[in-house]
mmCIF file of all heavy atoms in Angstrom:
data_model
loop_
_atom_site.group_PDB
_atom_site.id
_atom_site.type_symbol
_atom_site.label_atom_id
_atom_site.label_comp_id
_atom_site.label_asym_id
_atom_site.label_seq_id
_atom_site.Cartn_x
_atom_site.Cartn_y
_atom_site.Cartn_z
ATOM 1 N N HIS A 16 33.774 -70.568 -23.157
ATOM 2 C CA HIS A 16 32.812 -70.129 -24.105
ATOM 3 C C HIS A 16 33.643 -69.598 -25.341
ATOM 4 O O HIS A 16 33.300 -69.737 -26.449
ATOM 5 C CB HIS A 16 32.009 -68.985 -23.546
ATOM 6 C CG HIS A 16 31.097 -68.299 -24.578
ATOM 7 N ND1 HIS A 16 29.947 -68.862 -25.040
ATOM 8 C CD2 HIS A 16 31.219 -67.198 -25.142
ATOM 9 C CE1 HIS A 16 29.364 -68.060 -25.920
ATOM 10 N NE2 HIS A 16 30.066 -66.993 -26.028
ATOM 11 N N GLN A 24 32.735 -71.302 -35.009
ATOM 12 C CA GLN A 24 32.577 -70.310 -36.107
ATOM 13 C C GLN A 24 33.811 -70.327 -37.022
ATOM 14 O O GLN A 24 33.878 -69.699 -38.027
ATOM 15 C CB GLN A 24 32.381 -68.901 -35.552
ATOM 16 C CG GLN A 24 31.055 -68.747 -34.864
ATOM 17 C CD GLN A 24 30.763 -67.288 -34.348
ATOM 18 O OE1 GLN A 24 31.645 -66.546 -34.215
ATOM 19 N NE2 GLN A 24 29.474 -66.985 -34.327
ATOM 20 N N GLY A 25 34.798 -71.177 -36.667
ATOM 21 C CA GLY A 25 35.960 -71.221 -37.465
ATOM 22 C C GLY A 25 36.036 -72.604 -38.241
ATOM 23 O O GLY A 25 35.354 -72.701 -39.291
ATOM 24 N N ALA A 28 32.562 -74.296 -39.041
ATOM 25 C CA ALA A 28 31.780 -73.682 -40.005
ATOM 26 C C ALA A 28 32.284 -73.931 -41.440
ATOM 27 O O ALA A 28 31.475 -74.029 -42.417
ATOM 28 C CB ALA A 28 31.800 -72.190 -39.781
ATOM 29 N N ARG A 32 29.440 -75.509 -43.879
ATOM 30 C CA ARG A 32 28.934 -74.655 -45.055
ATOM 31 C C ARG A 32 28.854 -75.533 -46.321
ATOM 32 O O ARG A 32 28.244 -75.173 -47.331
ATOM 33 C CB ARG A 32 29.808 -73.407 -45.169
ATOM 34 C CG ARG A 32 31.043 -73.753 -45.745
ATOM 35 C CD ARG A 32 32.089 -72.550 -45.926
ATOM 36 N NE ARG A 32 31.398 -71.305 -46.101
ATOM 37 C CZ ARG A 32 31.764 -70.158 -45.595
ATOM 38 N NH1 ARG A 32 32.902 -70.067 -44.829
ATOM 39 N NH2 ARG A 32 31.180 -69.030 -45.851
ATOM 40 N N GLU A 33 29.393 -76.658 -46.357
ATOM 41 C CA GLU A 33 29.419 -77.568 -47.492
ATOM 42 C C GLU A 33 28.219 -78.551 -47.440
ATOM 43 O O GLU A 33 28.178 -79.459 -48.396
ATOM 44 C CB GLU A 33 30.709 -78.367 -47.603
ATOM 45 C CG GLU A 33 31.981 -77.461 -47.722
ATOM 46 C CD GLU A 33 31.910 -76.533 -48.989
ATOM 47 O OE1 GLU A 33 31.383 -77.014 -50.049
ATOM 48 O OE2 GLU A 33 32.327 -75.320 -48.897
ATOM 49 N N ASP A 50 25.724 -65.158 -18.302
ATOM 50 C CA ASP A 50 24.373 -64.988 -17.609
ATOM 51 C C ASP A 50 23.270 -65.910 -18.305
ATOM 52 O O ASP A 50 22.239 -65.775 -17.954
ATOM 53 C CB ASP A 50 23.818 -63.491 -17.693
ATOM 54 C CG ASP A 50 24.736 -62.602 -16.950
ATOM 55 O OD1 ASP A 50 25.429 -63.070 -15.961
ATOM 56 O OD2 ASP A 50 24.850 -61.396 -17.248
ATOM 57 N N GLU A 52 22.238 -69.943 -20.244
ATOM 58 C CA GLU A 52 22.627 -71.344 -20.134
ATOM 59 C C GLU A 52 23.092 -72.002 -21.517
ATOM 60 O O GLU A 52 23.563 -73.079 -21.466
ATOM 61 C CB GLU A 52 21.472 -72.208 -19.509
ATOM 62 C CG GLU A 52 20.200 -72.278 -20.323
ATOM 63 C CD GLU A 52 19.214 -73.025 -19.733
ATOM 64 O OE1 GLU A 52 19.361 -74.289 -19.518
ATOM 65 O OE2 GLU A 52 18.164 -72.487 -19.309
ATOM 66 N N THR A 60 19.088 -73.482 -42.907
ATOM 67 C CA THR A 60 17.928 -73.408 -43.745
ATOM 68 C C THR A 60 18.073 -74.217 -45.016
ATOM 69 O O THR A 60 18.991 -74.211 -45.661
ATOM 70 C CB THR A 60 17.553 -71.984 -44.085
ATOM 71 O OG1 THR A 60 17.349 -71.135 -42.963
ATOM 72 C CG2 THR A 60 16.314 -71.882 -44.970
ATOM 73 N N PHE A 61 16.977 -75.083 -45.287
ATOM 74 C CA PHE A 61 16.910 -75.888 -46.575
ATOM 75 C C PHE A 61 15.613 -75.676 -47.170
ATOM 76 O O PHE A 61 14.640 -75.079 -46.700
ATOM 77 C CB PHE A 61 17.034 -77.342 -46.014
ATOM 78 C CG PHE A 61 18.363 -77.715 -45.425
ATOM 79 C CD1 PHE A 61 18.445 -77.566 -44.019
ATOM 80 C CD2 PHE A 61 19.408 -78.237 -46.111
ATOM 81 C CE1 PHE A 61 19.625 -77.851 -43.306
ATOM 82 C CE2 PHE A 61 20.556 -78.570 -45.602
ATOM 83 C CZ PHE A 61 20.706 -78.414 -44.084
ATOM 84 N N GLU A 62 15.598 -75.997 -48.541
ATOM 85 C CA GLU A 62 14.349 -75.929 -49.288
ATOM 86 C C GLU A 62 13.176 -76.713 -48.673
ATOM 87 O O GLU A 62 12.076 -76.286 -48.693
ATOM 88 C CB GLU A 62 14.544 -76.422 -50.704
ATOM 89 C CG GLU A 62 13.488 -76.158 -51.699
ATOM 90 C CD GLU A 62 13.267 -74.621 -51.864
ATOM 91 O OE1 GLU A 62 14.289 -73.839 -51.962
ATOM 92 O OE2 GLU A 62 12.102 -74.171 -51.976
ATOM 93 N N ALA A 72 22.222 -87.133 -44.122
ATOM 94 C CA ALA A 72 22.651 -88.498 -44.405
ATOM 95 C C ALA A 72 23.847 -88.567 -45.291
ATOM 96 O O ALA A 72 24.393 -89.623 -45.530
ATOM 97 C CB ALA A 72 21.380 -89.201 -45.081
ATOM 98 N N SER A 73 24.310 -87.400 -45.714
ATOM 99 C CA SER A 73 25.405 -87.289 -46.662
ATOM 100 C C SER A 73 26.726 -87.593 -45.901
ATOM 101 O O SER A 73 26.756 -87.447 -44.635
ATOM 102 C CB SER A 73 25.429 -85.976 -47.392
ATOM 103 O OG SER A 73 25.850 -84.987 -46.514
ATOM 104 N N ALA A 83 31.282 -81.885 -34.711
ATOM 105 C CA ALA A 83 30.534 -81.044 -33.587
ATOM 106 C C ALA A 83 30.577 -81.873 -32.308
ATOM 107 O O ALA A 83 30.672 -81.306 -31.198
ATOM 108 C CB ALA A 83 29.104 -81.091 -34.048
ATOM 109 N N HIS A 102 8.689 -61.698 -42.637
ATOM 110 C CA HIS A 102 7.834 -60.444 -42.561
ATOM 111 C C HIS A 102 8.512 -59.217 -42.946
ATOM 112 O O HIS A 102 7.848 -58.281 -43.460
ATOM 113 C CB HIS A 102 7.199 -60.203 -41.171
ATOM 114 C CG HIS A 102 6.410 -61.389 -40.742
ATOM 115 N ND1 HIS A 102 5.068 -61.522 -41.055
ATOM 116 C CD2 HIS A 102 6.635 -62.610 -40.124
ATOM 117 C CE1 HIS A 102 4.586 -62.679 -40.606
ATOM 118 N NE2 HIS A 102 5.488 -63.290 -40.075
#
Side-chain angles (χ1 to χ4, degrees):
H16 175 75
Q24 294 182 335
R32 70 182 335 140
E33 300 301 322
D50 296 333
E52 66 181 291
T60 300
F61 297 88
E62 189 66 40
S73 73
H102 296 276

